[in-house]
Amino acid sequence: MTAEPGRGKAVRHPMGEAWLGDIARAAHALDARTPEEFARIAALLGVGGGPAGTADPAPRPQEGRGDPARRAPAEDAPPERRPPGPDQPVLQRRPTAAEAGTVNVLVPVEQQSRHPTRWSTDPLARPPGRDEARTRPPHLPLLAPRSTAALLTILLARVTFDGELDVERATETLAQARPLTAIPRLPLPTLRYGVQILADTSGAMEPFARDVDDVIAHVRALAGVAGTQVLRFADVPVRGAGPGPRTTWQRPYRPPRPGVRVLILSDLGAGGSSHNPWRATEQEWRTTVDAIRQRGCEPVALVPLPERLWPEWARGLLPMVAWDRGTTVGKALGARR
């Protein structure tokens, strides 16, 4: 690509780009004064004609053809390159960027580093990776740790007259001159009959999964592993319950042997979304409680909801205790009565 002399445009040279300003600087550096010297500088820089020694000169027009354009005056043609004389300075070509060893490497825009974004708030902590150890946050149980054992004992123990000798009753009987047909003993709460735990695994009870495991561990410590049976269900036990996954659930639910206390860990259908199509109904819970009592067992429920959210029909159906830090042994004893 070339530009006409005097227009101030750039021309493409095989070794780079040259401007008219380059001719002026070269002429000033070489102290050029004559038009021939300026023309030679322009030819060496590739302005106004091809570079010296890189292409053959254009063919001269043949005479006698009658073409007026081919009989243009010789002054319009580029000056003829002639070897410098002894009194003419030798012009030196300026080295290009590639020859000088300073090559500018262009970097694609996609690979350039972006400026860091400044947010108005601090970013969240980076989540742990697969190789990093994941620590669970400390668990705060719903029941007070100091009173959990006593509270569960009050709820689950059966009262039997197997305690020490009741001295007052024995003295009163003998004072009335009546025989002692049986040794009177003081009432004693016991867990030797065993406990069955019905743990609700529905969506509404998912936030309390760790609390369910915590209560199961405490009951096993009180009644023993052999005396504790854990059955899991979803929404209501009459739809099926079992010790493991759903494939092990029995349908319908079968209550334990007579005398076993049944602890229900559930919200009795009062929690979760009101649009839940699998929400337990009042009739299903009545059927479950009736089946437990017909078997000779007594049910009691730990409900992880405040008392104001309990269903009205459930208040007289079975003893219920609020599953909360505010629950005391006295409240548990009042619920049993």
Side-chain angles (χ1 to χ4, degrees):
M1 179 180 65
T2 62
E4 297 179 2
R7 294 294 182 90
K9 297 183 179 180
V11 296
R12 183 170 299 277
H13 190 271
M15 303 302 293
E17 291 184 356
W19 297 74
L20 296 180
D22 296 334
I23 300 176
R25 284 193 294 271
H28 178 73
L30 298 176
D31 195 17
R33 298 180 181 277
T34 62
E36 290 79 10
E37 293 177 354
F38 279 100
R40 183 169 180 78
I41 292 174
L44 291 175
L45 293 179
V47 179
T54 59
D56 295 335
R60 298 179 63 86
Q62 298 180 4
E63 298 179 359
R65 290 296 183 94
D67 191 353
R70 295 191 178 183
R71 294 194 300 270
E75 56 188 20
D76 295 338
E80 183 179 352
R81 291 188 295 271
R82 291 174 293 181
D87 56 348
Q88 187 175 2
V90 180
L91 300 179
Q92 299 292 336
R93 185 175 61 86
R94 186 177 57 179
T96 62
E99 295 176 349
T102 58
V103 179
N104 296 327
V105 181
L106 300 179
V107 180
V109 177
E110 294 79 10
Q111 298 182 4
Q112 292 182 353
S113 61
R114 299 180 179 179
H115 297 287
T117 304
R118 296 184 179 273
W119 302 100
S120 58
T121 58
D122 296 335
L124 298 176
R126 182 179 180 182
R130 296 182 178 179
D131 299 334
E132 300 180 10
R134 298 183 180 181
T135 58
R136 300 179 67 181
H139 174 56
L140 299 177
L142 292 178
L143 297 178
R146 294 184 177 181
S147 60
T148 299
L151 190 148
L152 292 176
T153 301
I154 293 297
L155 290 178
L156 303 177
R158 289 188 57 185
V159 178
T160 59
F161 292 92
D162 296 335
E164 297 179 355
L165 176 64
D166 191 349
V167 178
E168 294 182 0
R169 289 177 55 191
T171 302
E172 183 180 358
T173 301
L174 293 176
Q176 295 176 0
R178 292 183 300 172
L180 291 174
T181 57
I183 298 177
R185 295 184 178 276
L186 295 175
L188 178 68
T190 179
L191 294 173
R192 71 170 182 264
Y193 293 96
V195 178
Q196 183 186 72
I197 300 178
L198 295 177
D200 192 354
T201 61
S202 61
M205 289 293 295
E206 285 184 2
F208 311 103
R210 298 178 68 175
D211 296 283
V212 171
D213 296 337
D214 183 68
V215 170
I216 292 175
H218 276 87
V219 173
R220 285 174 174 171
L222 295 173
V225 178
T228 305
Q229 182 187 18
V230 180
L231 299 180
R232 303 184 184 274
F233 67 94
D235 297 299
V236 66
V238 292
R239 300 178 186 176
R246 291 178 181 266
T247 56
T248 63
W249 294 1
Q250 295 180 357
R251 297 190 177 104
Y253 156 72
R254 296 180 182 178
R257 64 181 184 274
V260 177
R261 188 74 67 184
V262 179
L263 176 62
I264 301 175
L265 305 178
S266 175
D267 59 357
L268 302 180
S273 174
S274 59
H275 302 286
N276 181 14
W278 297 281
R279 179 190 291 269
T281 62
E282 174 185 352
Q283 184 59 39
E284 289 177 320
W285 275 110
R286 290 189 179 275
T287 303
T288 300
V289 174
D290 292 343
I292 293 174
R293 286 178 173 164
Q294 290 175 5
R295 187 68 173 172
C297 304
E298 284 297 326
V300 62
L302 269 178
V303 183
L305 296 175
E307 296 185 8
R308 67 178 185 276
L309 299 181
W310 291 357
E312 292 295 335
W313 55 264
R315 296 178 183 271
L317 182 62
L318 76 165
M320 296 189 303
V321 177
W323 198 351
D324 187 72
R325 280 294 180 97
T327 302
T328 61
V329 176
K331 291 184 178 180
L333 186 60
R336 281 293 308 275
R337 294 179 180 178

PDB file of all heavy atoms in Angstrom, residues 143-154 218 324-329 332:
ATOM      1  N   LEU A 143     -34.059 -30.077  74.436  1.00  0.00           N
ATOM      2  CA  LEU A 143     -34.247 -30.267  75.872  1.00  0.00           C
ATOM      3  C   LEU A 143     -32.990 -29.859  76.618  1.00  0.00           C
ATOM      4  O   LEU A 143     -31.871 -30.013  76.116  1.00  0.00           O
ATOM      5  CB  LEU A 143     -34.577 -31.732  76.169  1.00  0.00           C
ATOM      6  CG  LEU A 143     -35.888 -32.265  75.574  1.00  0.00           C
ATOM      7  CD1 LEU A 143     -36.050 -33.736  75.902  1.00  0.00           C
ATOM      8  CD2 LEU A 143     -37.086 -31.468  76.072  1.00  0.00           C
ATOM      9  N   ALA A 144     -33.163 -29.339  77.814  1.00  0.00           N
ATOM     10  CA  ALA A 144     -32.033 -28.938  78.633  1.00  0.00           C
ATOM     11  C   ALA A 144     -31.204 -30.175  78.987  1.00  0.00           C
ATOM     12  O   ALA A 144     -31.762 -31.168  79.482  1.00  0.00           O
ATOM     13  CB  ALA A 144     -32.515 -28.246  79.899  1.00  0.00           C
ATOM     14  N   PRO A 145     -29.903 -30.175  78.742  1.00  0.00           N
ATOM     15  CA  PRO A 145     -29.099 -31.380  79.002  1.00  0.00           C
ATOM     16  C   PRO A 145     -29.142 -31.837  80.459  1.00  0.00           C
ATOM     17  O   PRO A 145     -29.091 -33.053  80.723  1.00  0.00           O
ATOM     18  CB  PRO A 145     -27.684 -30.945  78.588  1.00  0.00           C
ATOM     19  CG  PRO A 145     -27.889 -29.805  77.633  1.00  0.00           C
ATOM     20  CD  PRO A 145     -29.108 -29.100  78.118  1.00  0.00           C
ATOM     21  N   ARG A 146     -29.243 -30.926  81.405  1.00  0.00           N
ATOM     22  CA  ARG A 146     -29.201 -31.321  82.813  1.00  0.00           C
ATOM     23  C   ARG A 146     -30.457 -32.055  83.254  1.00  0.00           C
ATOM     24  O   ARG A 146     -30.416 -32.880  84.173  1.00  0.00           O
ATOM     25  CB  ARG A 146     -28.993 -30.087  83.696  1.00  0.00           C
ATOM     26  CG  ARG A 146     -27.640 -29.414  83.507  1.00  0.00           C
ATOM     27  CD  ARG A 146     -27.473 -28.259  84.479  1.00  0.00           C
ATOM     28  NE  ARG A 146     -26.148 -27.645  84.350  1.00  0.00           N
ATOM     29  CZ  ARG A 146     -25.725 -26.631  85.098  1.00  0.00           C
ATOM     30  NH1 ARG A 146     -26.529 -26.108  86.024  1.00  0.00           N
ATOM     31  NH2 ARG A 146     -24.515 -26.135  84.914  1.00  0.00           N
ATOM     32  N   SER A 147     -31.576 -31.765  82.610  1.00  0.00           N
ATOM     33  CA  SER A 147     -32.844 -32.364  83.029  1.00  0.00           C
ATOM     34  C   SER A 147     -33.404 -33.355  82.017  1.00  0.00           C
ATOM     35  O   SER A 147     -34.536 -33.820  82.191  1.00  0.00           O
ATOM     36  CB  SER A 147     -33.881 -31.272  83.289  1.00  0.00           C
ATOM     37  OG  SER A 147     -34.102 -30.503  82.112  1.00  0.00           O
ATOM     38  N   THR A 148     -32.655 -33.669  80.968  1.00  0.00           N
ATOM     39  CA  THR A 148     -33.187 -34.560  79.930  1.00  0.00           C
ATOM     40  C   THR A 148     -33.457 -35.954  80.480  1.00  0.00           C
ATOM     41  O   THR A 148     -34.514 -36.555  80.227  1.00  0.00           O
ATOM     42  CB  THR A 148     -32.210 -34.633  78.748  1.00  0.00           C
ATOM     43  OG1 THR A 148     -32.056 -33.343  78.185  1.00  0.00           O
ATOM     44  CG2 THR A 148     -32.737 -35.576  77.681  1.00  0.00           C
ATOM     45  N   ALA A 149     -32.508 -36.511  81.228  1.00  0.00           N
ATOM     46  CA  ALA A 149     -32.681 -37.870  81.759  1.00  0.00           C
ATOM     47  C   ALA A 149     -33.870 -37.954  82.699  1.00  0.00           C
ATOM     48  O   ALA A 149     -34.697 -38.883  82.622  1.00  0.00           O
ATOM     49  CB  ALA A 149     -31.395 -38.319  82.451  1.00  0.00           C
ATOM     50  N   ALA A 150     -34.003 -36.981  83.597  1.00  0.00           N
ATOM     51  CA  ALA A 150     -35.125 -37.010  84.537  1.00  0.00           C
ATOM     52  C   ALA A 150     -36.452 -36.810  83.821  1.00  0.00           C
ATOM     53  O   ALA A 150     -37.466 -37.458  84.151  1.00  0.00           O
ATOM     54  CB  ALA A 150     -34.928 -35.936  85.607  1.00  0.00           C
ATOM     55  N   LEU A 151     -36.469 -35.919  82.825  1.00  0.00           N
ATOM     56  CA  LEU A 151     -37.715 -35.658  82.099  1.00  0.00           C
ATOM     57  C   LEU A 151     -38.163 -36.897  81.329  1.00  0.00           C
ATOM     58  O   LEU A 151     -39.350 -37.256  81.346  1.00  0.00           O
ATOM     59  CB  LEU A 151     -37.505 -34.468  81.170  1.00  0.00           C
ATOM     60  CG  LEU A 151     -38.736 -33.877  80.494  1.00  0.00           C
ATOM     61  CD1 LEU A 151     -38.551 -32.379  80.308  1.00  0.00           C
ATOM     62  CD2 LEU A 151     -38.972 -34.507  79.119  1.00  0.00           C
ATOM     63  N   LEU A 152     -37.237 -37.571  80.654  1.00  0.00           N
ATOM     64  CA  LEU A 152     -37.606 -38.774  79.902  1.00  0.00           C
ATOM     65  C   LEU A 152     -38.011 -39.909  80.831  1.00  0.00           C
ATOM     66  O   LEU A 152     -38.878 -40.724  80.491  1.00  0.00           O
ATOM     67  CB  LEU A 152     -36.437 -39.202  79.010  1.00  0.00           C
ATOM     68  CG  LEU A 152     -36.094 -38.253  77.855  1.00  0.00           C
ATOM     69  CD1 LEU A 152     -34.864 -38.745  77.105  1.00  0.00           C
ATOM     70  CD2 LEU A 152     -37.270 -38.121  76.891  1.00  0.00           C
ATOM     71  N   THR A 153     -37.404 -39.985  81.986  1.00  0.00           N
ATOM     72  CA  THR A 153     -37.789 -41.026  82.946  1.00  0.00           C
ATOM     73  C   THR A 153     -39.221 -40.822  83.419  1.00  0.00           C
ATOM     74  O   THR A 153     -39.994 -41.791  83.539  1.00  0.00           O
ATOM     75  CB  THR A 153     -36.817 -41.015  84.142  1.00  0.00           C
ATOM     76  OG1 THR A 153     -35.490 -41.234  83.675  1.00  0.00           O
ATOM     77  CG2 THR A 153     -37.190 -42.098  85.140  1.00  0.00           C
ATOM     78  N   ILE A 154     -39.608 -39.572  83.685  1.00  0.00           N
ATOM     79  CA  ILE A 154     -40.975 -39.287  84.098  1.00  0.00           C
ATOM     80  C   ILE A 154     -41.961 -39.649  82.992  1.00  0.00           C
ATOM     81  O   ILE A 154     -43.052 -40.192  83.255  1.00  0.00           O
ATOM     82  CB  ILE A 154     -41.113 -37.809  84.495  1.00  0.00           C
ATOM     83  CG1 ILE A 154     -40.300 -37.513  85.756  1.00  0.00           C
ATOM     84  CG2 ILE A 154     -42.569 -37.434  84.702  1.00  0.00           C
ATOM     85  CD1 ILE A 154     -40.747 -38.262  86.985  1.00  0.00           C
ATOM     86  N   HIS A 218     -30.537 -40.934  74.444  1.00  0.00           N
ATOM     87  CA  HIS A 218     -30.826 -40.829  75.872  1.00  0.00           C
ATOM     88  C   HIS A 218     -31.743 -41.961  76.334  1.00  0.00           C
ATOM     89  O   HIS A 218     -31.556 -42.523  77.432  1.00  0.00           O
ATOM     90  CB  HIS A 218     -31.476 -39.477  76.183  1.00  0.00           C
ATOM     91  CG  HIS A 218     -30.493 -38.366  76.364  1.00  0.00           C
ATOM     92  ND1 HIS A 218     -30.011 -37.624  75.316  1.00  0.00           N
ATOM     93  CD2 HIS A 218     -29.890 -37.866  77.473  1.00  0.00           C
ATOM     94  CE1 HIS A 218     -29.166 -36.713  75.760  1.00  0.00           C
ATOM     95  NE2 HIS A 218     -29.077 -36.844  77.070  1.00  0.00           N
ATOM     96  N   ASP A 324     -38.955 -28.475  74.091  1.00  0.00           N
ATOM     97  CA  ASP A 324     -38.332 -27.156  74.126  1.00  0.00           C
ATOM     98  C   ASP A 324     -37.505 -27.028  75.393  1.00  0.00           C
ATOM     99  O   ASP A 324     -37.671 -27.788  76.356  1.00  0.00           O
ATOM    100  CB  ASP A 324     -39.417 -26.072  74.074  1.00  0.00           C
ATOM    101  CG  ASP A 324     -38.840 -24.679  73.924  1.00  0.00           C
ATOM    102  OD1 ASP A 324     -38.344 -24.370  72.825  1.00  0.00           O
ATOM    103  OD2 ASP A 324     -38.875 -23.939  74.910  1.00  0.00           O
ATOM    104  N   ARG A 325     -36.587 -26.032  75.403  1.00  0.00           N
ATOM    105  CA  ARG A 325     -35.731 -25.800  76.563  1.00  0.00           C
ATOM    106  C   ARG A 325     -36.542 -25.391  77.795  1.00  0.00           C
ATOM    107  O   ARG A 325     -36.100 -25.579  78.919  1.00  0.00           O
ATOM    108  CB  ARG A 325     -34.701 -24.720  76.246  1.00  0.00           C
ATOM    109  CG  ARG A 325     -33.505 -25.178  75.444  1.00  0.00           C
ATOM    110  CD  ARG A 325     -32.675 -26.147  76.247  1.00  0.00           C
ATOM    111  NE  ARG A 325     -31.513 -26.619  75.525  1.00  0.00           N
ATOM    112  CZ  ARG A 325     -30.302 -26.098  75.655  1.00  0.00           C
ATOM    113  NH1 ARG A 325     -30.103 -25.070  76.461  1.00  0.00           N
ATOM    114  NH2 ARG A 325     -29.295 -26.594  74.978  1.00  0.00           N
ATOM    115  N   GLY A 326     -37.691 -24.790  77.586  1.00  0.00           N
ATOM    116  CA  GLY A 326     -38.503 -24.360  78.710  1.00  0.00           C
ATOM    117  C   GLY A 326     -39.262 -25.462  79.401  1.00  0.00           C
ATOM    118  O   GLY A 326     -39.893 -25.224  80.439  1.00  0.00           O
ATOM    119  N   THR A 327     -39.253 -26.655  78.864  1.00  0.00           N
ATOM    120  CA  THR A 327     -39.972 -27.775  79.466  1.00  0.00           C
ATOM    121  C   THR A 327     -39.199 -28.284  80.681  1.00  0.00           C
ATOM    122  O   THR A 327     -38.016 -28.598  80.591  1.00  0.00           O
ATOM    123  CB  THR A 327     -40.169 -28.901  78.449  1.00  0.00           C
ATOM    124  OG1 THR A 327     -40.888 -28.390  77.323  1.00  0.00           O
ATOM    125  CG2 THR A 327     -40.940 -30.048  79.057  1.00  0.00           C
ATOM    126  N   THR A 328     -39.874 -28.390  81.793  1.00  0.00           N
ATOM    127  CA  THR A 328     -39.261 -28.858  83.028  1.00  0.00           C
ATOM    128  C   THR A 328     -39.826 -30.221  83.410  1.00  0.00           C
ATOM    129  O   THR A 328     -40.793 -30.720  82.813  1.00  0.00           O
ATOM    130  CB  THR A 328     -39.503 -27.850  84.159  1.00  0.00           C
ATOM    131  OG1 THR A 328     -40.921 -27.722  84.376  1.00  0.00           O
ATOM    132  CG2 THR A 328     -38.919 -26.478  83.799  1.00  0.00           C
ATOM    133  N   VAL A 329     -39.244 -30.807  84.453  1.00  0.00           N
ATOM    134  CA  VAL A 329     -39.726 -32.084  84.938  1.00  0.00           C
ATOM    135  C   VAL A 329     -41.144 -31.949  85.501  1.00  0.00           C
ATOM    136  O   VAL A 329     -41.960 -32.855  85.364  1.00  0.00           O
ATOM    137  CB  VAL A 329     -38.752 -32.643  86.007  1.00  0.00           C
ATOM    138  CG1 VAL A 329     -39.276 -33.934  86.605  1.00  0.00           C
ATOM    139  CG2 VAL A 329     -37.366 -32.858  85.400  1.00  0.00           C
ATOM    140  N   ALA A 332     -43.592 -32.119  82.668  1.00  0.00           N
ATOM    141  CA  ALA A 332     -43.712 -33.499  82.183  1.00  0.00           C
ATOM    142  C   ALA A 332     -44.555 -34.337  83.144  1.00  0.00           C
ATOM    143  O   ALA A 332     -45.371 -35.155  82.719  1.00  0.00           O
ATOM    144  CB  ALA A 332     -42.325 -34.111  82.028  1.00  0.00           C
TER     145      ALA A 332
END
